[in-house]
Amino acid sequence: MALKKSDLYASLWASCDELRGGMDASQYKDYVLFMLFIKYISDKYGASDAFAPPVVIPKGAGFKDMIALKGKSDIGDRINMQIIQPLIEANERLARSDFPDFNDPNKLGEGQAMVDRLSNLIGIFQKPELDFSRNRAEHDDILGDAYEYLMRHFATESGKSKGQFYTPSEVSRVIAQVIGISPENTKAATTAYDPTCGSGSLLLKVAAQAGKPITLEGQEKDVTTAGLARMNMILHDFPTANVQQGDTLAAPRFKDGEQLRTYDYVVANPPFSDKAWGTGLTPANDPYQRFAWGVPPTKQGDYAYLLHIVRSMKSTGKAACILPHGVLFRGNAEAVIRQQLVRSGILKGIIGLPANLFYGTGIPACIVVLDKENAAARKGVFLIDASKGFIKDGPKNRLREQDIHRIVDTFTRQVDTPRYARLVPLAEIASPANDYNLNLPRYIDSSEPEDLHDIEGHLRGGIPERDLDALGNYWQVLPGVRAALFSPLPPGEGSGVRERPGYSYLRLPLPEVRPAILHHPEFTAFNQTVTQRFAGWRTAATKQLTAFGKDGHPRALIERIAEDLLAAFREAPLLDAYDIYQHLMDDWVETMQDDAYLIAADGWVAKTSRILETDKKGRTRDRGWTCELIPKSLIVARYFAGEQAAIDALQVELDAAQASQMEMEEEQGGDEGIFNGYDSITAVAVKERIRKIGRDPDDADELTLLGQWLHLGNRMTALKKQIREAEAALDRLAYAKYPTLTEAEIKTLVVDDKWMARLAAAVQGELERVSQTLTGRIRELAERYATPLPKLTDEVATLAARVEEHLAKMGASWK
C-alpha cells in the first residue's frame, strides 16, 4: 500500500521534532533536510548505471552506509568524514558549506545524547514508505512537495528574523504565472534567474510553470541557505541548476565578460528595505551601470535590487519582484527612479498583496511586474489590489487557490474589474495630481461602499428604491421576484393612496420573504440552470477521473478538471465561479489528492488493513480495520443501508429511553422526590430501596415509579446489547464486501459517493447562500425603515401619557 502524501509529510515533520530538542527551528532544519536529501539521492542515483548521473554517490557514502553508523560513539564525526566529504569531492556543484556539521555538540548534544539523536533521525528515514528509488511522480514530485512543506513549517517556527529563506509557495506560483512563462514559449535554452534566490523555491516554481527543463541560475548571500537551494534543485530533478553564493549587488557571480548576464525571465524576493545594500559597492562607479536612473537611499535597498533586475533582463525579458509597498509612493531619490521606471515603459503592472503573508515581516508587499518587450509602445500600467483575498492560517495569512487564480486571470486578460483592477494610463500617473505616485488606493478604490441611511425613509417610511436598485445583479436574473416582494403602496392601503416616488414597501411579512424567493418560478429556473451546469461538468469530470489510473499524474488531473469547473461556472449568474473552484481545491487537499496518489501507486484497489497501536512498553494492540480509499461508511451506505437503518432505529429507541430516565431523575430529584437523598442513582441503590419498601401500601406510588425507572434501565441495557451485536454483524458484512468489489464498483464508490457527493453539496450550499444573502439584505432594509419617525413620536406620546396616568394614581408628580 502506498503511503498517503499527507502521511509522508506528517512523518517527516515528526522527524523534525524528534531531533529538535532545544534547538532553534532555523538550525535543526539543516539536519533534517540533509537527511531527506541523502536518502533521496541514494535511492534515486545510488544504483545508477548512467554514464554521467546528475549526482555521483561514491562507494560507502550512501544512506545505507549511514544506517551502519547508528549507535556508534563517533557517529557524528563519521557522517562528516565518510558520507559528506566523499559526496563533496565527487560532485563539484556541492560544497562543504552546503551541509551542517553532524559533530556539533552545541546543537546535537554531547556523548550519548548526540548518538541517540542522530541514530533516531536515521531510523525515521529508514521507514519502508520513504523509499524514493521509484520516484513515483515525475510531474508530481512528492519529495519536492515534502521539502517545501518542511520549509514552510521551519519558516513559521523560525520567527521573524530567520524566515526569509522561504517565499510562500502561493506567492511564488503567482509570480511564475504573471511573467507569462509556459510550455508553449520555452525551450531548453530558456533562461531564468533569481538574484536573491533563498532556498530556490521561486526559481523552481518558474521551472514548474515552464513544464520542461530550462536553465536555472541563482545567487544567494547566506552560505547555508545557498546549500539548501542546491539540495532543493536536486530534489526537484534540476540537478544542473547553478546556485552561487555571494552578495548579488556587491559581487554578482553571473556575468558575460565584464557585463551582467541577461535572462529571459528574472524573479526575486529580495530582503525588504535592506539597510546594508551598499556594503562593498560604490553606486556612482558601478561597473555594470545599474544606477543610471538614480541611486537608492542608503538605508532602503529595494530599488537597488529592482535596478539590478532591470539590467539582468534581455531586450525581450520578463521579470517580477516582491517589494514593500513603500516603493510605490516614497519620495526623494526613490521618486526619481520610479519616474524613470514608469517613463521607460518597462513597468507592466503592480499587484498589491494582503498583509502578513511573508515570514520575515507582517507588512503588506506587492509584486512589481516588468516587461521589456514592446516597452516603448506601452500605454499604461495594470494595477491589481488583491489585498482582500486571503485566508487566515495560524499566525500568518495565506492566499487561497481562488485568490491565486483570480489574480493571474485578471492580470493575464488585463481586464478592468471594479474595486479590484484597472489599466491606468501613463498620462494619469504622470499628471500633476499623481506625479508618478503609484500607491494603489489613488487608482483603485477597493473599500466597501458605505451603507447610507435615507432620512426621508426614516421620517415617512418606505424602503428607498436606491437601496433596492443596488441589488441589481439579483433583479437582472429575478425581475419577477422584485415585483412579487415590493409594492409602491404601503401594505393595506387602497388605490386612493398617493404613491411616493423613489420608495417601495414590502408586500409580505418578513418570515414569508425567503419562502417566496425559493418558490418563485424564476428562482427555480435559476436553480435548475446552475444544477445543469454542474451536472454537465460532473459527467465530463467523472470520465476523466475514472480514466485515471496507475502511474497517472495527480497534479495534471486536478488542473484539468478544476479549469473545466471554473469555465463551466464563469458565466453563471449570482455565483462567484472562483468560490465554486475553491470548494473543489479544498476537497482536493483534504481528500482527493491522497486518494489520487494511492490510485497512481496501486491502481483502483480497495485494500483493507489492520489498525495496530503500539504502547510505550512495545505491546501491539489490534484496533480493528480500515480502508484508506473507501471508508466503511461508504460501503454501508451503498450496500447495507437496511442494516444501518435498523441500527439507527434501535439507537433512536435507546436515546428515547435515556431521555425518559433522565427526565424522571430530574423530576424526582427535589425535596419531595423519590430520589432525594440518593448519593448516586444506580440500579443497585434502586433495587435496595424496593427491597426496603417491600409491599407497604403507603409507598405504592414510589414503588411504581422505581419500577418504571428499573424497566427503562433494563430496556436500555438490552438495546445497547442489540446495537453492539448489530454493529458487529454489520462490520463483518462490510469487511467481507471489500474483496468482492469490482473495479467499476470501486470507481463508483470513490468518484460518485466520496468525491462528487461532497462537491454537489457545496454547490447546493452556494445556491442557498444566494437566497440567504438576498433575504438578509431585504430584512435589514425592511427593519430599518419599518417604523417612521411620526409613528415613533406617537408611540412615545402614548407611552408617556400612560406613565403620567399611573404616576397620578399613585399621587406622584415628576414635572
Side-chain angles (χ1 to χ4, degrees):
M1 169 66 79
L3 185 71
K4 289 201 304 185
K5 200 173 181 183
S6 55
D7 286 349
L8 169 67
Y9 297 168
S11 171
L12 290 171
W13 187 242
S15 72
C16 306
D17 279 342
E18 181 78 39
L19 174 70
R20 185 177 183 181
M23 231 189 301
D24 183 85
S26 61
Q27 295 176 327
Y28 77 81
K29 75 175 188 302
D30 302 334
Y31 293 97
V32 174
L33 293 173
F34 171 75
M35 293 300 266
L36 181 63
F37 174 74
I38 191 77
K39 179 73 170 82
Y40 174 72
I41 59 172
S42 299
D43 286 351
K44 183 145 194 217
Y45 304 118
S48 174
D49 53 5
F51 172 68
V55 182
V56 176
I57 315 286
K59 191 171 173 54
F63 182 74
K64 287 193 175 75
D65 304 295
M66 287 185 88
I67 295 171
L69 302 178
K70 284 169 68 177
K72 296 196 182 301
S73 59
D74 56 349
I75 180 173
D77 189 46
R78 288 204 188 196
I79 290 173
N80 284 343
M81 302 312 298
Q82 293 177 20
I83 308 293
I84 294 176
Q85 195 56 41
L87 266 177
I88 295 160
E89 289 166 3
N91 297 277
E92 60 178 34
R93 287 185 186 276
L94 301 176
R96 182 65 191 91
S97 57
D98 293 353
F99 305 116
D101 179 2
F102 275 80
N103 200 30
D104 185 342
N106 295 323
K107 292 179 183 173
L108 297 167
E110 296 189 44
Q112 194 60 38
M114 179 191 286
V115 174
D116 291 346
R117 187 172 272 174
L118 291 178
S119 298
N120 287 340
L121 185 62
I122 292 169
I124 282 166
F125 283 85
Q126 270 183 273
K127 290 180 179 179
E129 58 264 28
L130 296 181
D131 176 10
F132 306 123
S133 54
R134 181 168 73 96
N135 187 16
R136 275 202 299 271
E138 289 169 48
H139 300 295
D140 301 272
D141 191 358
I142 289 186
L143 222 0
D145 288 348
Y147 191 85
E148 297 241 332
Y149 172 89
L150 291 174
M151 293 294 278
R152 187 171 76 248
H153 274 69
F154 292 134
T156 303
E157 298 226 346
S158 294
K160 280 200 166 184
S161 59
K162 304 184 186 72
Q164 51 296 48
F165 56 78
Y166 177 71
T167 303
S169 63
E170 296 83 11
V171 180
S172 300
R173 285 167 53 202
V174 170
I175 287 178
Q177 291 177 71
V178 296
I179 57 174
I181 194 167
S182 70
E184 291 75 43
N185 60 17
T186 51
K187 49 187 185 290
T190 299
T191 54
Y193 165 63
D194 184 341
T196 57
C197 71
S199 60
S201 57
L202 188 44
L203 266 180
L204 285 165
K205 284 290 184 289
V206 171
Q209 199 63 31
K212 60 182 74 163
I214 59 171
T215 303
L216 301 181
E217 295 187 334
Q219 187 164 340
E220 168 53 38
K221 191 174 184 177
D222 183 82
V223 175
T224 310
T225 309
L228 284 180
R230 279 189 275 268
M231 287 195 282
N232 200 4
M233 295 296 161
I234 292 167
L235 287 172
H236 277 84
D237 232 7
F238 275 89
T240 58
N242 190 356
V243 177
Q244 297 285 327
Q245 189 267 321
D247 184 334
T248 292
L249 296 180
R253 295 278 186 262
F254 296 99
K255 295 182 285 190
D256 289 326
E258 290 306 306
Q259 295 300 311
L260 290 180
R261 186 171 299 167
T262 56
Y263 298 86
D264 297 304
Y265 298 96
V266 185
V267 291
N269 178 14
F272 286 0
S273 302
D274 186 356
K275 292 178 171 51
W277 72 270
T279 306
L281 179 66
T282 309
N285 299 323
D286 180 42
Y288 312 109
Q289 295 88 43
R290 288 172 289 187
F291 305 104
W293 287 351
V295 177
T298 312
K299 298 291 187 189
Q300 282 167 326
D302 303 306
Y303 272 106
Y305 291 101
L306 192 70
L307 292 171
H308 176 87
I309 288 168
V310 170
R311 293 294 290 181
S312 302
M313 296 165 68
K314 286 184 178 176
S315 60
T316 56
K318 318 279 188 280
C321 179
I322 301 167
L323 293 171
H325 267 287
V327 300
L328 304 179
F329 53 79
R330 290 192 298 240
N332 304 320
E334 290 185 310
V336 174
I337 300 170
R338 188 166 57 244
Q339 183 172 334
Q340 295 288 341
L341 177 65
V342 173
R343 283 180 170 173
S344 71
I346 293 172
L347 180 61
K348 182 179 182 181
I350 297 163
I351 300 163
L353 298 171
N356 203 26
L357 283 185
F358 297 91
Y359 295 97
T361 176
I363 65 170
C366 59
I367 299 172
V368 176
V369 186
L370 309 173
D371 187 353
K372 283 192 176 177
E373 195 170 12
N374 302 321
R378 191 155 281 125
K379 296 288 188 284
V381 180
F382 192 74
L383 305 182
I384 295 180
D385 183 350
S387 59
K388 303 275 196 303
F390 62 90
I391 190 171
K392 192 128 185 65
D393 185 13
K396 308 303 290 180
N397 294 332
R398 181 169 55 80
L399 296 177
R400 297 165 296 179
E401 290 295 327
Q402 63 171 308
D403 302 318
I404 296 168
H405 217 303
R406 195 188 300 269
I407 291 169
V408 173
D409 283 353
T410 307
F411 193 87
T412 305
R413 299 203 307 266
Q414 302 267 301
V415 176
D416 284 8
T417 309
R419 307 216 315 274
Y420 186 71
R422 66 179 282 241
L423 181 64
V424 182
L426 293 177
E428 185 178 340
I429 295 168
S431 69
N434 291 317
D435 192 24
Y436 294 95
N437 184 320
L438 292 169
N439 200 19
L440 297 178
R442 282 178 174 256
Y443 307 99
I444 301 169
D445 180 7
S446 63
S447 60
E448 288 295 322
E450 198 175 345
D451 187 9
L452 299 170
H453 283 244
D454 186 280
I455 299 297
E456 186 73 11
H458 280 301
L459 289 174
R460 300 175 61 191
I463 298 170
E465 293 279 353
R466 181 196 65 203
D467 287 328
L468 295 178
D469 292 342
L471 298 167
N473 56 332
Y474 290 97
W475 310 137
Q476 281 175 1
V477 182
L478 313 167
V481 172
R482 180 172 184 172
L485 293 178
F486 297 100
S487 163
L489 300 174
E493 300 281 4
S495 56
V497 177
R498 282 213 332 254
E499 296 178 16
R500 287 175 57 220
Y503 295 87
S504 285
Y505 299 86
L506 201 54
R507 292 181 188 272
L508 306 170
L510 276 175
E512 294 177 22
V513 169
R514 187 148 187 255
I517 294 171
L518 290 173
H519 297 126
H520 196 281
E522 287 175 353
F523 191 82
T524 306
F526 158 70
N527 209 326
Q528 286 171 346
T529 304
V530 172
T531 306
Q532 283 164 4
R533 279 179 187 268
F534 179 70
W537 171 82
R538 179 175 181 160
T539 302
T542 299
K543 281 182 188 167
Q544 295 184 60
L545 292 167
T546 50
F548 181 79
K550 197 166 183 178
D551 298 325
H553 296 306
R555 193 171 293 167
L557 174 72
I558 186 61
E559 282 174 5
R560 265 197 319 275
I561 65 170
E563 289 305 315
D564 290 347
L565 181 67
L566 198 57
F569 280 91
R570 209 179 275 288
E571 302 304 320
L574 301 183
L575 293 174
D576 186 332
Y578 292 103
D579 285 342
I580 308 282
Y581 169 84
Q582 185 65 42
H583 284 299
L584 173 59
M585 299 313 289
D586 287 344
D587 283 351
W588 174 254
V589 170
E590 209 170 303
T591 309
M592 293 173 69
Q593 174 177 249
D594 280 336
D595 291 346
Y597 275 90
L598 291 176
I599 294 162
D602 298 331
W604 292 90
V605 202
K607 294 178 184 170
T608 53
S609 57
R610 306 307 300 180
I611 304 168
L612 301 175
E613 282 183 8
T614 306
D615 61 19
K616 289 180 180 176
K617 293 182 178 176
R619 291 176 302 205
T620 302
R621 286 185 182 166
D622 190 326
R623 296 290 188 187
W625 59 273
T626 187
C627 176
E628 294 287 4
L629 190 61
I630 303 175
K632 173 180 153 186
S633 57
L634 294 180
I635 292 282
V636 169
R638 184 164 276 273
Y639 298 106
F640 305 110
E643 288 83 348
Q644 184 63 54
I647 292 171
D648 293 342
L650 290 172
Q651 187 63 48
V652 167
E653 196 179 338
L654 174 62
D655 293 343
Q658 285 174 327
S660 297
Q661 197 182 57
M662 284 177 65
E663 193 179 331
M664 182 182 288
E665 289 170 7
E666 285 173 14
E667 284 177 359
Q668 297 295 327
D671 292 342
E672 302 298 321
I674 63 168
F675 293 122
N676 181 32
Y678 279 64
D679 291 332
S680 63
I681 307 169
T682 63
V684 172
V686 169
K687 284 175 182 174
E688 177 59 24
R689 177 64 183 155
I690 290 172
R691 192 182 61 74
K692 275 185 181 175
I693 292 172
R695 297 195 177 277
D696 189 335
D698 294 339
D699 296 317
D701 290 344
E702 182 182 356
L703 205 59
T704 302
L705 289 169
L706 291 173
Q708 288 174 3
W709 187 93
L710 266 184
H711 173 72
L712 285 169
N714 292 336
R715 181 65 187 138
M716 283 156 52
T717 303
L719 285 167
K720 285 175 184 173
K721 185 182 179 195
Q722 278 181 270
I723 290 170
R724 269 197 314 274
E725 289 172 351
E727 284 179 339
L730 179 56
D731 190 70
R732 289 192 294 275
L733 283 171
Y735 187 67
K737 184 67 184 172
Y738 283 90
T740 71
L741 291 172
T742 64
E743 186 172 297
E745 286 175 318
I746 292 171
K747 288 179 176 180
T748 300
L749 283 159
V750 174
V751 177
D752 291 348
D753 298 2
K754 190 177 184 183
W755 296 346
M756 287 298 177
R758 287 179 58 164
L759 195 58
V763 171
Q764 193 55 45
E766 290 296 326
L767 281 170
E768 286 171 11
R769 202 150 62 116
V770 170
S771 62
Q772 284 169 347
T773 306
L774 179 57
T775 306
R777 181 58 176 162
I778 291 170
R779 175 185 291 278
E780 185 179 25
L781 292 170
E783 289 175 344
R784 179 181 295 173
Y785 299 110
T787 315
L789 186 61
K791 192 174 176 184
L792 281 174
T793 308
D794 290 347
E795 284 179 9
V796 170
T798 304
L799 290 170
R802 279 163 60 186
V803 169
E804 284 198 37
E805 188 184 331
H806 287 303
L807 287 172
K809 282 180 182 175
M810 292 187 289
S813 173
W814 63 283
K815 287 189 179 178

